[in-house]
Amino acid sequence: MEFDVTPRSLYRVKQPSWSSHAVIYQVNTRQFSATGTFVGVTERLEHIKALGADIIWLMPIHPIGQKNRKGQLGSPYAVRDFLAVNPEFGNKEDLKQLVAKAHSLDLKVILDWVPNHSAWDNPLVDSHPHWYAKDYKGDFRPSPWWDWSDIIEFDYAQPDLRNYMIKAMRYWVEEFDFDGFRCDVAGYIPNDFWQQARHALDSVKPVFLLAEWENRDLHENAFNMTYAWSWNETLHELAHGRCSLDRLRKYYSWNERAWPQSAYRMTFVSNHDKNAWDGTQREQFGAALEACIVLSVIGEGMPLIHNGQEAGESKRLAFFEKDPIEWKEHPIGDLYKSLIKLKKSKSYLGNGEFGERMIQVPNSCMEQVFSFVRMNQDDKVFVVINFSDRPLTVNFIESLHVGTLQHWERNESMEFSSDTSLTLKPWQFEVWHT
């Protein structure tokens, strides 16, 4: 007896061609400019474009709840009205002009969407109380176990709630021409809802969906990209000497074998959560910061830039108050620009199936040095990172790295042979390519 064992992919989301080498940039409207407005964002769109970004992720733009508000201005994730804009930021016309200007620069704009919960004083609480989850006492509840006292959770067992939420999402695509959504705590929402939402949104125009979650199943029928949380956590532990380098190798093994290559993983060293609660990029990664940024851009995954990183991210931005970014020229901005320029110049450094897999290059210091190539039939990049706080001399095994390679930044070429060695300072990275 023969069985039908033809391989079939469960992953039906097709990545748009424009995203092949895309980079994503997060904007916190409140802190992005001195005015904290949509106009303040619009005025700096050329700056974002010049970094090499392709997608702007705009943090929630809705009115914020007053009841149980945290701080003076509250969290943008405590939404009081899903169909309105926060007057703190401007009006709907200002927002439309922001999106239109971004599109004129060939930038996509995705809106941060908060489907899991609302503010306590959202009108839906009174008009549709049955749409909300209840605790063991029958009262409205924040998400269990979290200190999210300024919000209450929805109950997605309610079909009418799903219908409302999809219509609300469609409104922002139809009326404002948004290109998709970053979906807050996406894993708290049943996956079948996301399939329903994707179908409804794509009937307006093809959208790009980013899930704040790390689960490959979300890629089956809904999401283009998910967070690489475990990548970020591993590098954070490495930077502080709290894990072995093999933990990073395990991440890439998991990424290659357990996830579909079509799935984009968002690689990042900072975002609004990490900055506000864990510290600035330098506080989080110390002397390892530049090496981690290199891996986020040149390794597999779509790199994220959190607004202000390119200016040195000199402070933890207050989450519930006005606290404008201190804009200035900074070497981190130059580093991102150079790395992104390299990424976009090489087909094999594309995202997902548009690029090539990382292949490990074994070396003589495997406990400290991470080395790999990404390559196609004709070209390659060779990356070497010293993930330790001491100088090392390292040589390499096998032949993947062999050939005449150009330094990614200096006007210098080098002939790599089977017995070539490199001397690396603590946390130093080297990038060479054909």
Side-chain angles (χ1 to χ4, degrees), residues 230-303:
S230 54
W231 182 94
N232 175 273
E233 291 162 359
T234 297
L235 287 171
H236 187 266
E237 295 298 286
L238 268 176
H240 292 274
R242 295 197 291 257
C243 74
S244 74
L245 191 50
D246 273 347
R247 178 167 161 182
L248 182 59
R249 296 187 179 100
K250 288 177 182 177
Y251 166 82
Y252 283 111
S253 176
W254 179 54
N255 180 64
E256 181 171 338
R257 299 297 296 137
W259 289 67
Q261 192 174 2
S262 62
Y264 291 168
R265 315 291 303 284
M266 189 174 74
T267 47
F268 57 94
V269 297
S270 191
N271 60 38
H272 67 282
D273 287 314
K274 301 298 290 185
N275 170 269
W277 314 122
D278 294 344
T280 66
Q281 55 186 349
R282 188 64 74 184
E283 285 180 300
Q284 290 184 66
F285 292 95
L289 174 62
E290 286 82 357
C292 295
I293 288 173
V294 167
L295 191 56
S296 77
V297 179
I298 303 302
E300 292 181 47
M302 184 188 294

Side-chain angles (χ1 to χ4, degrees), residues 30-35 315 317 321-327:
R30 178 186 288 167
Q31 316 299 20
F32 192 74
S33 66
T35 59
K315 61 181 176 179
L317 298 174
E321 320 295 342
K322 186 78 176 77
D323 188 16
I325 294 167
E326 298 172 356
W327 289 110

Side-chain angles (χ1 to χ4, degrees), residues 410-426:
R410 300 189 301 268
N411 184 21
E412 176 185 334
S413 63
M414 182 171 175
E415 184 68 32
F416 283 85
S417 63
S418 58
D419 59 355
T420 297
S421 63
L422 292 176
T423 298
L424 305 172
K425 298 175 183 178

Side-chain angles (χ1 to χ4, degrees), residues 85-247:
V85 300
N86 186 348
E88 173 192 347
F89 301 154
N91 57 39
K92 290 184 175 180
E93 188 58 36
D94 294 333
L95 181 58
K96 287 182 178 180
Q97 290 177 9
L98 188 164
V99 175
K101 177 65 178 295
H103 287 167
S104 74
L105 295 171
D106 202 25
L107 292 165
K108 306 294 183 181
V109 188
I110 65 174
L111 178 60
D112 208 328
W113 195 253
V114 190
N116 178 66
H117 48 260
S118 80
W120 287 80
D121 48 359
N122 189 304
L124 298 176
V125 176
D126 294 323
S127 63
H128 297 88
H130 59 292
W131 286 2
Y132 287 85
K134 309 296 192 300
D135 65 14
Y136 70 96
K137 296 176 290 186
D139 297 332
F140 297 123
R141 71 173 196 205
S143 296
W145 305 94
W146 285 103
D147 179 26
W148 293 350
S149 57
D150 55 343
I151 59 91
I152 50 178
E153 279 203 318
F154 286 120
D155 174 11
Y156 273 79
Q158 305 298 321
D160 287 348
L161 166 65
R162 293 178 176 227
N163 195 47
Y164 168 86
M165 199 60 69
I166 288 173
K167 286 182 176 180
M169 295 175 79
R170 280 177 57 110
Y171 166 77
W172 294 100
V173 177
E174 291 172 334
E175 298 297 321
F176 293 80
D177 204 20
F178 275 101
D179 300 295
F181 298 90
R182 177 267 188 189
C183 300
D184 190 58
V185 289
Y188 281 13
I189 310 299
N191 203 359
D192 66 309
F193 168 78
W194 292 123
Q195 181 176 353
Q196 295 163 351
R198 159 67 79 176
H199 178 75
L201 292 167
D202 278 350
S203 68
V204 180
K205 75 173 190 178
V207 293
F208 189 92
L209 297 181
L210 162 62
E212 189 208 11
W213 209 251
E214 188 169 27
N215 185 320
R216 68 179 182 182
D217 293 350
L218 291 171
H219 291 278
E220 288 186 2
N221 296 294
F223 285 95
N224 300 84
M225 185 158 68
T226 49
Y227 273 48
W229 277 117
S230 54
W231 182 94
N232 175 273
E233 291 162 359
T234 297
L235 287 171
H236 187 266
E237 295 298 286
L238 268 176
H240 292 274
R242 295 197 291 257
C243 74
S244 74
L245 191 50
D246 273 347
R247 178 167 161 182

